[in-house]
Each structure stands twice: as C-alpha cells, then as structure tokens.
Amino acid sequence: LLQQRYTSRELGQSLFVSDDIEDMEIAERLGMQSVVAGYGCRTPEFLASRGARNIITTLAEVYPYAKS
C-alpha cells in the first residue's frame, strides 16, 4: 500500500519508528530508514539479536535519525 501511494524517493527520505522487528524488516524492504524502539514491548538486546541496527531507548534519541 505504501509503495502505491509514495515514490521510492519519498520512502527513502522517510523514517519508520516502531517497537516491532517485523515492522522494521518491512520498512527496510521498502527502502525506508528504520529505528526500533527498545523501550516498548521488546528489549534492546532482543531487537539486536534479531538484526536491528538502529535501536533507541528513549523517544528523544529519534531526533538525530530524523535530521539525517
């Protein structure tokens, strides 16, 4: 659905934030930068073990990703 509404350039300039590893995988397949929140229902250690690279532990940590 996102691919139908937005161009690959628009998706590539988007930031997807979630606490779900499957959401992160979908966002990356769409070419979006993704950040996984390690303060939701999953721990940072669990998310890292599943391949998450950009893990934040507070909402304030999303700011540098949003600026890039």
Side-chain angles (χ1 to χ4, degrees), residues 43-60:
T43 66
E45 295 79 19
F46 173 81
L47 296 167
S49 74
R50 296 288 305 272
R53 292 176 302 283
N54 302 321
I55 302 170
I56 59 173
T57 57
T58 67
L59 184 57

Side-chain angles (χ1 to χ4, degrees), residues 10-23:
E10 290 170 320
L11 289 173
Q13 294 175 341
S14 300
L15 175 65
F16 193 91
V17 181
S18 177
D19 66 350
D20 187 80
I21 201 74
E22 287 80 14
D23 289 344

